[in-house]
Amino acid sequence: MENTTGTIRLGSENFEFPIIEGTEGEKALDTRTLRAKSGCITFDEGYGNTGSCISDITFINGEKGILRHRGYAIEELAKHSSFLETAMLVIYGSLPQKSCLSAFRKQVRESASIHTGMHSHFDGFPTSAHPMAILSSMLNSLGAYYPKMSSNNREQDLAYFDETAALLISKVRTIAAMTYRMKMGLSFVHPAEKRYTENFLHMMFSEPYSEYDDKHGAGKALDLFLMLHADHEQNCSTSTVRMVASGGANLFASVSAGVCALWGPSHGGANMAVIKMLEEIHAAGDDGSKFIEAAKKGEAKLMGFGHRVYKNYDPRAKILGKSAEGILSSIGMNDPLLDIARKLEQAALEDEYFVSRKLYPNVDFYSGIILKAIGIPVEMFTVMFAIGRMPGWIANWKEIAENPKSRIHRPRQIYSGETQRDYVQLVDR
Ligand code: CMC
């Protein structure tokens, strides 16, 4: 990978460093030895210019709006693949053979139940608890039921990796459905012999007296939603998973931390915030123009717009924007929020403020409209993102765990506090 070098000049001294080049031509100055050589560290709060790892999983070109998993364009995957097939691609690196995919589907289907000991954990939460708080706690607790797979002994955790990966992809969906039912005061619905998303909808919405009937293709729409969220390189939650994994933590603990990182409104929580924003705009009788003006003045944020990496249309938003129309028309639903979203998008794409800052719709802009149409309550939206992102977290954990050279992630800081002081006894203060 190394081909050439770059020089940093500090005062009158030159320091030379290798330049690393990725397979898509991205270049990075490898400054790992800078402090040892010069006493200086690099400062990059928010990591906008820092490569934290070398990864084979996902490629993004934010300027061109390109997203590829293991070399396959997201548009192709959205057209031909499914969530579980893309999960295998993201985790294992290649498109699976038919027999492997069938075996994986079977393993996921057979791992869907949650140990009955865990059912009582749900009773410990108030019904007002946020589903993301429940999800992260439950995923970490889950590890306690599988001690062999969550040993924090790298070799052992890796020996059980395939089983753990299928188990987490399966059970995250069961826990999500159970969380919803607990909050609604409904009894849990056991998983059935169904495909991935259909089983999820069954566990969410079936009742003892009536089985959920997916007559509008909600399962298909949900599969696309999950697939489009499968991985997105070094975002906040994935970096968190890698950070936790770098200390040697098991996969359950690492993805549980990922859920916490995803929760915030600048990251996965944005899908909830978008719908709340659209509802407020609708309730205020605004067509979006007042909101745009407020965002320009810094009084509001246009949720679902902007991205650290994309300085062009997020390709996932393009796909979801189109499929939102499809699912609404198949349900025969006319959601005024979709019209507001379209108007907001159009206005922002023509407005100097958004154009000059290269702010485009991101994945969260249309995803909430789809989830709402399927009948998922707004509070569960970020949980849906977490189900979709599970393969990416697992793949990134694997990359860290399998790398014999991987080191604990331990950034440095610039200390800006008090310099040394003498302790003052309590009586003298
Ligand atoms: N509405 C209005 N102005 C914005 C927005 C927005 N959504 N996003 C960025 N800006 C402005 C920002 O105020 C700044 O203006 P100025 O240069 O005048 O100070 C400029 O654009 C650059 O923004 P930034 O804050 O430096 O961008 P960032 O890379 O630090 O943040 C972001 C990226 C995604 C956190 C931010 O765009 C944002 O908060 N967007 C809304 C929340 C959202 O939709 N998040 C989901 C992200 S995609 C899915 C995921 O990662 O989970």
Side-chain angles (χ1 to χ4, degrees), residues 225-303:
F225 165 90
L226 295 177
M227 200 209 70
L228 291 175
H229 285 77
D231 190 45
H232 210 236
E233 56 121 292
Q234 300 315 311
N235 55 82
C236 175
S237 56
T238 303
S239 299
T240 300
V241 169
R242 287 186 85 112
M243 171 76 87
V244 176
S246 79
N250 66 76
L251 188 48
F252 296 89
S254 304
V255 299
S256 160
V259 170
C260 295
L262 184 71
W263 190 356
S266 297
H267 191 14
N271 61 10
M272 274 174 72
V274 169
I275 286 292
K276 286 191 178 147
M277 172 189 80
L278 294 174
E279 280 170 350
E280 274 166 29
I281 293 173
H282 184 52
D286 179 15
D287 65 350
S289 38
K290 280 193 205 134
F291 195 90
I292 294 257
E293 286 314 307
K296 283 160 66 178
K297 285 188 210 139
E299 292 162 4
K301 207 169 220 185
L302 187 51
M303 299 311 287

Coordinates of all heavy atoms in Angstrom, one line a residue, residues 225-303:
F225 N -35.2 -0.8 3.5 CA -34.8 0.1 4.5 C -33.6 -0.4 5.3 O -32.6 0.2 5.5 CB -35.9 0.4 5.5 CG -35.5 1.1 6.7 CD1 -35.5 2.5 6.8 CD2 -35.1 0.4 7.9 CE1 -35.1 3.2 8.0 CE2 -34.7 1.0 9.0 CZ -34.7 2.4 9.1
L226 N -33.7 -1.7 5.7 CA -32.6 -2.3 6.6 C -31.3 -2.4 5.7 O -30.2 -2.1 6.2 CB -33.1 -3.7 7.1 CG -34.2 -3.7 8.1 CD1 -34.6 -5.1 8.5 CD2 -33.9 -2.8 9.3
M227 N -31.5 -2.9 4.5 CA -30.4 -3.1 3.6 C -29.6 -1.8 3.4 O -28.4 -1.8 3.4 CB -30.8 -3.7 2.3 CG -29.8 -4.3 1.5 SD -30.1 -4.2 -0.2 CE -29.8 -2.5 -0.4
L228 N -30.3 -0.7 3.2 CA -29.7 0.6 3.0 C -28.9 1.1 4.2 O -28.1 2.0 4.1 CB -30.7 1.6 2.5 CG -31.3 1.4 1.1 CD1 -32.4 2.4 0.8 CD2 -30.2 1.4 0.0
H229 N -29.2 0.5 5.3 CA -28.6 1.0 6.6 C -27.4 0.0 7.0 O -26.8 0.2 8.0 CB -29.6 1.1 7.7 CG -30.5 2.3 7.6 ND1 -31.5 2.4 6.8 CD2 -30.4 3.5 8.3 CE1 -32.1 3.6 6.9 NE2 -31.5 4.3 7.8
A230 N -27.2 -1.0 6.2 CA -26.3 -2.1 6.6 C -24.9 -1.7 7.1 O -24.4 -2.2 8.0 CB -26.2 -3.2 5.5
D231 N -24.3 -0.7 6.4 CA -23.0 -0.3 6.9 C -22.8 1.1 6.3 O -23.3 1.5 5.2 CB -21.9 -1.2 6.4 CG -20.6 -0.9 7.1 OD1 -20.6 -0.6 8.3 OD2 -19.5 -0.8 6.4
H232 N -21.9 1.9 6.9 CA -21.6 3.2 6.4 C -20.2 3.7 6.9 O -20.1 4.8 7.4 CB -22.7 4.2 6.8 CG -22.9 5.3 5.7 ND1 -22.8 6.6 6.0 CD2 -23.1 5.2 4.4 CE1 -22.9 7.3 4.9 NE2 -23.1 6.5 3.9
E233 N -19.3 2.9 6.7 CA -17.9 3.1 7.2 C -17.8 3.7 8.5 O -18.5 3.4 9.4 CB -17.0 3.6 6.1 CG -17.3 4.9 5.4 CD -16.2 6.0 5.5 OE1 -16.0 6.5 6.6 OE2 -15.7 6.4 4.4
Q234 N -16.9 4.7 8.7 CA -16.5 5.0 10.1 C -17.4 6.1 10.7 O -16.9 7.2 11.2 CB -15.0 5.4 10.2 CG -14.1 4.3 9.7 CD -14.5 2.9 10.3 OE1 -14.7 2.8 11.5 NE2 -14.6 1.9 9.5
N235 N -18.7 5.9 10.7 CA -19.6 6.8 11.4 C -19.5 6.7 12.9 O -18.7 5.9 13.4 CB -21.0 6.5 10.9 CG -21.4 5.1 11.2 OD1 -21.7 4.7 12.3 ND2 -21.2 4.2 10.2
C236 N -20.2 7.6 13.6 CA -20.1 7.6 15.1 C -20.3 6.3 15.8 O -19.5 5.9 16.6 CB -21.1 8.7 15.6 SG -21.2 8.9 17.3
S237 N -21.3 5.6 15.4 CA -21.6 4.3 16.1 C -20.6 3.2 15.7 O -20.2 2.5 16.6 CB -23.1 3.9 15.9 OG -23.3 3.7 14.5
T238 N -20.3 3.2 14.5 CA -19.3 2.1 14.0 C -17.9 2.4 14.6 O -17.3 1.4 15.1 CB -19.3 2.1 12.5 OG1 -20.6 1.8 12.0 CG2 -18.3 1.0 12.0
S239 N -17.6 3.6 14.7 CA -16.3 4.0 15.3 C -16.3 3.6 16.8 O -15.3 3.2 17.4 CB -16.0 5.5 15.2 OG -15.9 5.8 13.8
T240 N -17.5 3.8 17.4 CA -17.6 3.4 18.8 C -17.5 1.9 19.0 O -16.7 1.4 19.9 CB -19.0 3.8 19.3 OG1 -19.1 5.2 19.2 CG2 -19.2 3.5 20.8
V241 N -18.1 1.1 18.1 CA -18.0 -0.3 18.1 C -16.5 -0.7 18.0 O -16.0 -1.5 18.8 CB -18.8 -1.0 17.0 CG1 -18.5 -2.5 16.9 CG2 -20.3 -0.8 17.3
R242 N -15.8 -0.1 17.1 CA -14.4 -0.4 16.9 C -13.6 0.0 18.1 O -12.6 -0.7 18.5 CB -13.8 0.3 15.6 CG -14.3 -0.3 14.4 CD -13.7 0.3 13.1 NE -12.4 -0.3 12.8 CZ -12.1 -1.1 11.7 NH1 -13.1 -1.3 10.8 NH2 -10.9 -1.6 11.6
M243 N -13.9 1.1 18.7 CA -13.2 1.6 19.9 C -13.3 0.6 21.0 O -12.4 0.2 21.7 CB -13.8 3.0 20.3 CG -13.4 3.6 21.6 SD -11.7 4.3 21.5 CE -12.0 6.0 21.0
V244 N -14.6 0.2 21.3 CA -14.8 -0.8 22.4 C -14.1 -2.1 22.1 O -13.5 -2.7 22.9 CB -16.4 -0.9 22.6 CG1 -16.7 -2.0 23.6 CG2 -17.0 0.4 23.0
A245 N -14.3 -2.5 20.8 CA -13.6 -3.8 20.4 C -12.1 -3.7 20.5 O -11.5 -4.7 20.9 CB -14.0 -4.1 18.9
S246 N -11.5 -2.6 20.3 CA -10.1 -2.4 20.4 C -9.5 -2.7 21.8 O -8.4 -3.1 21.9 CB -9.6 -1.1 19.9 OG -9.8 -0.1 20.9
G247 N -10.4 -2.6 22.8 CA -9.9 -2.9 24.1 C -10.1 -4.4 24.4 O -9.8 -4.8 25.5
G248 N -10.6 -5.2 23.5 CA -10.7 -6.6 23.6 C -12.1 -7.0 24.0 O -12.3 -8.2 24.3
A249 N -13.0 -6.1 24.0 CA -14.4 -6.5 24.5 C -15.1 -7.4 23.4 O -14.8 -7.3 22.2 CB -15.2 -5.2 24.7
N250 N -16.0 -8.2 23.9 CA -16.7 -9.1 23.1 C -17.7 -8.4 22.2 O -18.0 -7.2 22.4 CB -17.4 -10.2 23.9 CG -18.5 -9.6 24.8 OD1 -19.6 -9.2 24.3 ND2 -18.2 -9.4 26.1
L251 N -18.3 -9.2 21.2 CA -19.2 -8.6 20.2 C -20.5 -8.0 20.8 O -21.0 -7.0 20.4 CB -19.5 -9.6 19.2 CG -20.2 -9.3 17.9 CD1 -19.7 -8.0 17.3 CD2 -20.2 -10.4 16.9
F252 N -21.0 -8.7 21.8 CA -22.3 -8.2 22.5 C -22.1 -6.8 23.1 O -22.9 -5.9 22.9 CB -22.7 -9.2 23.6 CG -23.1 -10.6 23.1 CD1 -22.2 -11.6 23.0 CD2 -24.4 -10.8 22.7 CE1 -22.5 -12.8 22.5 CE2 -24.8 -12.1 22.3 CZ -23.8 -13.1 22.2
A253 N -21.0 -6.7 23.9 CA -20.7 -5.5 24.6 C -20.4 -4.4 23.5 O -20.9 -3.2 23.7 CB -19.5 -5.6 25.5
S254 N -19.7 -4.7 22.5 CA -19.3 -3.7 21.5 C -20.6 -3.2 20.7 O -20.7 -2.0 20.5 CB -18.3 -4.3 20.5 OG -17.2 -4.8 21.1
V255 N -21.5 -4.1 20.3 CA -22.7 -3.5 19.6 C -23.6 -2.8 20.5 O -24.3 -1.9 20.1 CB -23.4 -4.6 18.8 CG1 -22.5 -5.2 17.7 CG2 -24.0 -5.7 19.6
S256 N -23.6 -3.2 21.8 CA -24.5 -2.5 22.8 C -24.0 -1.0 22.9 O -24.8 -0.1 22.9 CB -24.4 -3.2 24.1 OG -24.8 -2.4 25.1
A257 N -22.7 -0.8 22.9 CA -22.1 0.5 22.9 C -22.5 1.2 21.6 O -22.8 2.5 21.6 CB -20.6 0.5 23.1
G258 N -22.5 0.5 20.5 CA -22.9 1.1 19.2 C -24.3 1.7 19.2 O -24.5 2.7 18.7
V259 N -25.2 0.9 19.9 CA -26.6 1.4 20.0 C -26.6 2.7 20.7 O -27.3 3.7 20.3 CB -27.5 0.3 20.7 CG1 -28.8 0.9 21.0 CG2 -27.6 -0.9 19.8
C260 N -25.9 2.9 21.8 CA -25.8 4.1 22.6 C -25.3 5.3 21.7 O -25.9 6.4 21.7 CB -24.9 4.0 23.8 SG -25.6 2.8 25.0
A261 N -24.3 5.0 20.9 CA -23.7 6.0 20.1 C -24.7 6.5 19.0 O -24.8 7.6 18.5 CB -22.4 5.6 19.4
L262 N -25.5 5.5 18.5 CA -26.4 5.8 17.4 C -27.6 6.6 17.8 O -28.2 7.3 17.0 CB -27.0 4.4 16.8 CG -27.9 4.5 15.6 CD1 -27.1 4.9 14.4 CD2 -28.6 3.1 15.4
W263 N -27.9 6.6 19.1 CA -29.1 7.2 19.7 C -29.2 8.7 19.4 O -30.3 9.2 19.2 CB -29.1 6.9 21.2 CG -30.4 7.1 21.9 CD1 -31.5 7.7 21.5 CD2 -30.6 6.8 23.3 NE1 -32.4 7.8 22.5 CE2 -31.9 7.2 23.6 CE3 -29.8 6.2 24.3 CZ2 -32.5 7.1 24.9 CZ3 -30.4 6.1 25.6 CH2 -31.7 6.5 25.9
G264 N -28.1 9.4 19.4 CA -28.2 10.9 19.4 C -28.8 11.4 18.1 O -28.8 10.8 17.1
P265 N -29.4 12.6 18.2 CA -30.1 13.2 17.1 C -29.2 13.6 15.9 O -29.7 13.8 14.8 CB -30.8 14.4 17.7 CG -30.1 14.8 18.9 CD -29.5 13.5 19.4
S266 N -27.9 13.8 16.1 CA -27.0 14.1 15.0 C -26.7 12.9 14.2 O -26.2 12.9 13.1 CB -25.7 14.7 15.5 OG -26.0 15.9 16.1
H267 N -27.0 11.7 14.8 CA -26.7 10.4 14.1 C -28.0 9.7 13.9 O -28.9 10.3 13.2 CB -25.7 9.6 15.0 CG -25.0 8.4 14.4 ND1 -25.0 8.2 13.1 CD2 -24.4 7.4 15.0 CE1 -24.4 7.0 12.9 NE2 -24.0 6.5 14.1
G268 N -28.2 8.5 14.4 CA -29.4 7.7 14.1 C -30.7 8.3 14.5 O -31.7 8.1 13.9
G269 N -30.6 9.1 15.6 CA -31.8 9.7 16.2 C -32.4 10.8 15.2 O -33.5 11.2 15.4
A270 N -31.7 11.1 14.2 CA -32.2 12.1 13.2 C -33.5 11.6 12.5 O -34.3 12.4 12.1 CB -31.1 12.4 12.1
N271 N -33.6 10.2 12.4 CA -34.8 9.8 11.6 C -36.1 10.1 12.4 O -37.1 10.4 11.9 CB -34.7 8.3 11.2 CG -34.5 7.3 12.3 OD1 -34.6 7.6 13.5 ND2 -34.2 6.1 12.0
M272 N -36.0 10.1 13.8 CA -37.1 10.5 14.6 C -37.3 12.0 14.5 O -38.5 12.5 14.4 CB -36.8 10.2 16.1 CG -37.2 8.8 16.5 SD -36.6 8.5 18.2 CE -37.8 9.5 19.1
A273 N -36.2 12.7 14.6 CA -36.3 14.2 14.5 C -36.9 14.7 13.2 O -37.5 15.7 13.2 CB -34.9 14.7 14.8
V274 N -36.6 14.0 12.1 CA -37.1 14.5 10.8 C -38.7 14.4 10.9 O -39.3 15.4 10.5 CB -36.6 13.6 9.7 CG1 -37.4 13.9 8.4 CG2 -35.1 13.8 9.4
I275 N -39.2 13.3 11.4 CA -40.7 13.2 11.4 C -41.3 14.3 12.3 O -42.3 14.9 12.0 CB -41.1 11.8 11.8 CG1 -40.9 10.8 10.6 CG2 -42.6 11.7 12.2 CD1 -41.8 11.1 9.4
K276 N -40.6 14.5 13.5 CA -41.1 15.5 14.4 C -41.1 16.8 13.8 O -42.0 17.6 13.9 CB -40.3 15.5 15.7 CG -40.6 14.2 16.5 CD -40.0 14.3 17.9 CE -40.5 13.1 18.7 NZ -39.5 12.6 19.7
M277 N -40.0 17.1 13.0 CA -39.9 18.4 12.3 C -41.0 18.6 11.3 O -41.7 19.6 11.2 CB -38.5 18.5 11.7 CG -38.3 19.7 10.8 SD -36.8 19.5 9.8 CE -37.2 18.4 8.5
L278 N -41.2 17.5 10.5 CA -42.2 17.6 9.4 C -43.6 17.8 10.0 O -44.5 18.5 9.5 CB -42.2 16.3 8.5 CG -40.9 16.1 7.7 CD1 -41.0 14.8 7.0 CD2 -40.8 17.3 6.7
E279 N -43.9 17.1 11.2 CA -45.2 17.2 11.8 C -45.4 18.6 12.4 O -46.5 19.2 12.3 CB -45.3 16.2 13.0 CG -45.7 14.8 12.4 CD -45.6 13.7 13.4 OE1 -45.1 13.9 14.5 OE2 -46.0 12.5 13.1
E280 N -44.3 19.2 12.9 CA -44.4 20.6 13.5 C -44.7 21.6 12.3 O -45.5 22.5 12.5 CB -43.1 20.9 14.2 CG -43.1 20.5 15.6 CD -41.7 20.5 16.3 OE1 -40.9 21.4 15.8 OE2 -41.5 19.7 17.1
I281 N -44.0 21.4 11.2 CA -44.2 22.2 10.1 C -45.7 22.1 9.6 O -46.3 23.1 9.3 CB -43.2 21.9 8.9 CG1 -41.8 22.2 9.3 CG2 -43.6 22.6 7.6 CD1 -40.7 21.8 8.4
H282 N -46.1 20.9 9.5 CA -47.5 20.7 9.1 C -48.5 21.3 10.0 O -49.5 22.0 9.6 CB -47.7 19.1 9.0 CG -49.1 18.8 8.4 ND1 -49.6 19.3 7.3 CD2 -50.1 17.9 8.9 CE1 -50.8 18.8 7.0 NE2 -51.1 18.0 8.0
A283 N -48.3 21.1 11.4 CA -49.2 21.6 12.4 C -49.2 23.1 12.3 O -50.3 23.8 12.6 CB -48.8 21.1 13.7
A284 N -48.1 23.8 12.0 CA -48.0 25.2 12.0 C -48.6 25.8 10.7 O -48.6 27.0 10.5 CB -46.6 25.7 12.2
G285 N -49.0 24.9 9.8 CA -49.6 25.4 8.5 C -48.5 26.0 7.6 O -48.8 26.7 6.6
D286 N -47.2 25.7 7.8 CA -46.1 26.2 7.0 C -45.9 25.2 5.9 O -46.1 24.0 6.0 CB -44.9 26.2 7.9 CG -43.6 26.7 7.2 OD1 -43.7 27.2 6.1 OD2 -42.5 26.5 7.8
D287 N -45.5 25.7 4.7 CA -45.2 24.8 3.6 C -43.7 24.4 3.6 O -43.2 23.8 2.7 CB -45.6 25.4 2.2 CG -44.7 26.6 1.9 OD1 -44.0 27.1 2.8 OD2 -44.8 27.1 0.8
G288 N -43.0 24.9 4.6 CA -41.6 24.6 4.8 C -40.7 25.8 4.6 O -39.6 25.9 5.1
S289 N -41.3 26.9 4.0 CA -40.4 28.0 3.7 C -40.0 28.8 5.0 O -38.9 29.2 5.1 CB -41.1 29.0 2.7 OG -42.5 29.0 2.9
K290 N -41.0 28.9 5.9 CA -40.6 29.5 7.2 C -39.5 28.8 7.9 O -38.6 29.3 8.5 CB -41.8 29.6 8.1 CG -42.8 30.7 7.8 CD -43.8 31.0 8.9 CE -45.0 31.6 8.3 NZ -46.3 31.0 8.8
F291 N -39.6 27.4 7.8 CA -38.6 26.6 8.5 C -37.2 26.8 7.9 O -36.2 26.9 8.6 CB -39.1 25.1 8.5 CG -38.3 24.3 9.4 CD1 -38.7 24.1 10.7 CD2 -37.1 23.7 9.1 CE1 -38.0 23.3 11.6 CE2 -36.3 23.0 10.0 CZ -36.8 22.8 11.2
I292 N -37.2 26.9 6.6 CA -36.0 27.0 5.8 C -35.3 28.4 6.3 O -34.1 28.4 6.5 CB -36.2 27.1 4.3 CG1 -36.7 25.7 3.8 CG2 -35.0 27.6 3.5 CD1 -35.7 24.8 3.1
E293 N -36.1 29.4 6.4 CA -35.6 30.7 6.8 C -35.0 30.6 8.2 O -33.9 31.1 8.5 CB -36.7 31.8 6.8 CG -37.1 32.2 5.4 CD -35.8 32.5 4.5 OE1 -34.9 33.3 4.9 OE2 -35.7 32.0 3.4
A294 N -35.7 29.9 9.1 CA -35.2 29.7 10.5 C -33.9 29.0 10.5 O -33.0 29.3 11.3 CB -36.3 29.0 11.4
A295 N -33.8 27.9 9.7 CA -32.6 27.1 9.6 C -31.4 28.0 9.1 O -30.3 27.9 9.6 CB -32.8 25.9 8.7
K296 N -31.7 28.9 8.2 CA -30.7 29.8 7.6 C -30.1 30.8 8.7 O -29.0 31.2 8.7 CB -31.2 30.5 6.4 CG -31.2 29.6 5.2 CD -32.1 30.1 4.1 CE -31.7 31.4 3.5 NZ -32.6 31.9 2.4
K297 N -31.1 31.1 9.6 CA -30.7 32.1 10.7 C -30.0 31.3 11.8 O -29.6 32.0 12.8 CB -31.9 32.8 11.2 CG -32.4 33.9 10.2 CD -33.5 34.7 10.9 CE -34.5 35.2 9.9 NZ -35.9 35.1 10.4
G298 N -29.9 30.0 11.7 CA -29.3 29.2 12.8 C -30.3 29.0 13.9 O -29.9 28.5 15.0
E299 N -31.6 29.3 13.7 CA -32.6 29.1 14.8 C -33.1 27.7 14.8 O -33.8 27.3 15.7 CB -33.7 30.1 14.6 CG -33.3 31.5 14.8 CD -34.3 32.5 14.2 OE1 -35.4 32.1 13.7 OE2 -34.0 33.7 14.3
A300 N -32.9 27.0 13.7 CA -33.4 25.6 13.6 C -32.4 24.8 12.7 O -31.6 25.4 12.0 CB -34.8 25.6 12.9
K301 N -32.5 23.5 12.8 CA -31.7 22.7 12.0 C -32.6 21.9 11.1 O -33.6 21.3 11.6 CB -30.9 21.7 12.9 CG -29.6 21.3 12.2 CD -28.7 20.6 13.2 CE -27.3 21.0 13.0 NZ -26.3 20.3 13.9
L302 N -32.3 21.8 9.8 CA -33.1 21.0 8.9 C -32.7 19.6 9.1 O -31.6 19.2 8.5 CB -32.9 21.6 7.5 CG -33.7 21.0 6.4 CD1 -35.2 21.0 6.7 CD2 -33.5 21.7 5.1
M303 N -33.4 18.9 9.9 CA -33.0 17.5 10.2 C -33.2 16.6 8.9 O -34.0 16.8 8.1 CB -33.9 16.9 11.3 CG -33.8 17.7 12.6 SD -32.1 18.0 13.2 CE -31.6 16.4 13.7

